[in-house]
């Protein structure tokens, strides 16, 4: 019995052993397969990571080249002669689309791209313009492409300037080892206005026989941070001067003498000009995109009220606009009147024959809701007077919202012979005066502006000539436009120094900068937007 029990135990042990051996083999094979899969997965993951790393490396290298190219591009604008390009556009053709890269709005692929390249940089050479010659900056010398490292290259594909937002947008594209990467940045771009022409004798563009006239200050005070004077050297008392002189410069007296404001010969009480004096002639061209369809109406307390007539101006620099007829009203403002800006994002243009005010009458121009531009259209003949103010009459730029008026929001202009004659204690305040074919006659006897300054004009003044009254009959006469020694403005107002103050808000005239040959040096500031572009 004991022997049978031992045999049965032995048989059970052998069966268990065989059973364990049958399970271990598939288990080992399964584990081996799992390990093989894990190994292959590890290899694949490692390979993918390496590929991604290579891609990141190549992308990073391409981005580095693009950013490096952008840095080199911006660095070139620290040179004043290249900074002249920052208000001009450059936009090449994208070979993939057949259109420009950015378009006027400065945004990639926005739909406003042009079919022809825009290049306002190549060939731009302002060095022959008189006021540019004073700076001696030379011709822009700008490079749009370059290399970085052994295999990297970059190209400036486009630059767009937005004068309203005062921004510039660059698109630089870079290539390295067959991969392409681009960078678009938008930066602030603002002009350096420290030498802005607050008072200028201007020579009309397009008429080679016409010249600018005489600046005869005769001791009138010229004040304000931007009271810089630009005069016509050939018509001055000293045509040999071709530079500039700031307050306190060793040759300042020579420049004061040239503009008929010396102590001995003209009765000036020392140096009464706060700004810098430049011996160069500006030739501004009024832009053709002035408002042409917006009309306005008068509001007057007398019978001089009427309608301001507006018509489209096709050739804004040369077209003679006849006064509108059939309104039943005079188109002359000769009593207290208010002109209103109509708003809507467009300046309101009024066409008026003349402004002839006396007593205490005031032309108030309300720019609260939008800019107002006044065009005088009655001139054309000799001795035509477009604006005449007597007694304490005034032309004032006003606002009713508590904000200060801006000089650029009231623009008064004439495209033909129309004088401005100020007498007694009158005033024109916060306006841009553009009269390229006639003169300002400053014949006042004392200050008249509400500010309390010693002024009769608080505006930016661009005229063909400025002629002030003499201090004494013995002081020098002037020959206006060099017409055979014919003398002008020999009237005498003893000891009168009330003059012109140039307002501070020159930025409201930034839109005029592309249209004058004044050497504007633009400066770029902080980055407002940055975008990476993959091809």
């Amino acid at each position: 019995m004991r022997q049978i029990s031992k045999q049965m135990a032995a048989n059970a042990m052998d069966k268990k052993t065989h059973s364990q051996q049958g399970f271990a083999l598939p288990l080992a094979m399964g584990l081996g397969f799992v390990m093989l899969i894990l190994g292959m997965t590890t290899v694949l993951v490692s390979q993918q990571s390496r590929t991604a790393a290579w891609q990141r490396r190549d992308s990073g290298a391409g981005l580095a080249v693009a950013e490096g190219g952008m840095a080199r591009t911006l660095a070139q604008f620290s040179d004043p002669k290249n900074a002249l390009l920052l208000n001009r556009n450059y936009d090449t053709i994208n070979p993939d689309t057949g259109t420009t890269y950015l378009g006027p709005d400065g945004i990639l692929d926005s739909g406003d791209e042009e079919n022809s390249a825009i290049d306002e940089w190549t060939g731009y050479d302002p060095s022959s313009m008189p006021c540019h010659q004073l700076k001696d900056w030379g011709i822009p010398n700008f490079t749009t492409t370059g290399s970085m490292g052994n295999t990297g290259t970059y190209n400036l594909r486009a630059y767009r300037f937005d004068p309203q937002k005062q921004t510039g947008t660059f698109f630089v594209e870079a290539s390295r080892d067959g991969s392409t990467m681009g960078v678009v940045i938008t930066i602030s771009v603002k002009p350096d206005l420290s030498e802005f022409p607050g008072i200028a004798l201007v020579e009309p563009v397009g008429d080679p026989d016409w010249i600018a006239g005489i600046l005869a200050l005769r001791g009138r005070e010229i004040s304000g941070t931007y009271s810089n004077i630009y005069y016509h050297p050939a018509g001055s008392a000293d045509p040999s001067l071709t530079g500039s002189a700031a307050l306190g410069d060793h040759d300042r007296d020579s420049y004061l003498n040239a503009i008929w404001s010396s102590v001995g010969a003209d009765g000036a009480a020392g140096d009464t000009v706060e700004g810098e004096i430049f011996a160069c002639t500006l030739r501004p061209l009024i832009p053709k995109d002035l408002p042409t369809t917006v009309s306005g109406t008068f509001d007057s307390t007398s019978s001089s009220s009427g309608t301001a007539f507006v018509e489209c101006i096709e050739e804004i620099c040369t077209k003679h606009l006849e006064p509108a007829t059939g309104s039943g009203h005079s188109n002359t403002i000769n009593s207290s009147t208010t002109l209103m800006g109509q708003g809507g994002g467009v300046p309101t243009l009024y066409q008026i024959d003349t402004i002839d005010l006396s007593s205490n009458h005031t032309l108030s121009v309300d720019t609260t809701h939008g800019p107002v531009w006044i065009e005088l259209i009655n001139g054309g003949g000799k001795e035509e007077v477009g604006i005449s103010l007597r007694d304490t009459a005034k032309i004032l730029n006003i606002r009713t919202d508590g904000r200060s008026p801006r000089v650029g929001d009231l623009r008064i202009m004439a495209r033909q012979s129309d004088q401005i004659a100020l007498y007694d204690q009158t005033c024109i305040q916060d306006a841009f005066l553009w009269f390229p074919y006639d003169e300002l006659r400053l014949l006042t006897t004392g200050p008249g502006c509400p500010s309390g300054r010693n002024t009769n004009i608080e505006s930016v003044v661009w005229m063909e000539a400025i002629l002030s009254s003499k201090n004494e009959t013995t002081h020098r006469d002037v020959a206006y436009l060099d017409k055979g020694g014919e003398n002008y403005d020999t009237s005498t107002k003893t000891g009168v120094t009330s003059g012109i103050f140039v307002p501070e808000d020159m930025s409201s005239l930034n839109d005029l900068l592309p249209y004058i040959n004044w050497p504007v040096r633009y400066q770029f500031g902080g980055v407002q937007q940055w975008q990476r572009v993959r091809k």
Side-chain angles (χ1 to χ4, degrees), residues 191-271:
D192 178 2
L193 299 177
S194 59
E195 296 179 351
F196 184 86
I199 300 173
L201 296 196
V202 295
E203 183 174 282
V205 174
D207 190 346
D209 297 326
W210 204 263
I211 61 174
I214 299 299
L215 175 58
L217 289 183
R218 291 163 166 162
R220 298 277 181 168
E221 288 187 3
I222 308 298
S223 58
T225 303
Y226 299 101
S227 60
N228 303 303
I229 294 175
Y230 289 74
Y231 72 91
H232 183 55
S236 72
D238 186 355
S240 67
L241 299 175
T242 58
S244 64
L247 193 67
D249 283 356
H250 71 280
D251 56 351
R252 176 76 165 193
D253 288 343
S254 298
Y255 283 84
L256 291 168
N257 177 72
I259 58 176
W260 275 274
S261 200
S262 66
V263 174
D266 306 301
D271 189 343

Side-chain angles (χ1 to χ4, degrees), residues 458-475:
E458 298 185 357
S459 302
V460 172
V461 182
W462 292 2
M463 306 289 298
E464 179 192 71
I466 298 176
L467 306 169
S468 301
S469 57
K470 297 168 63 173
N471 272 301
E472 300 295 341
T473 56
T474 56
H475 293 150

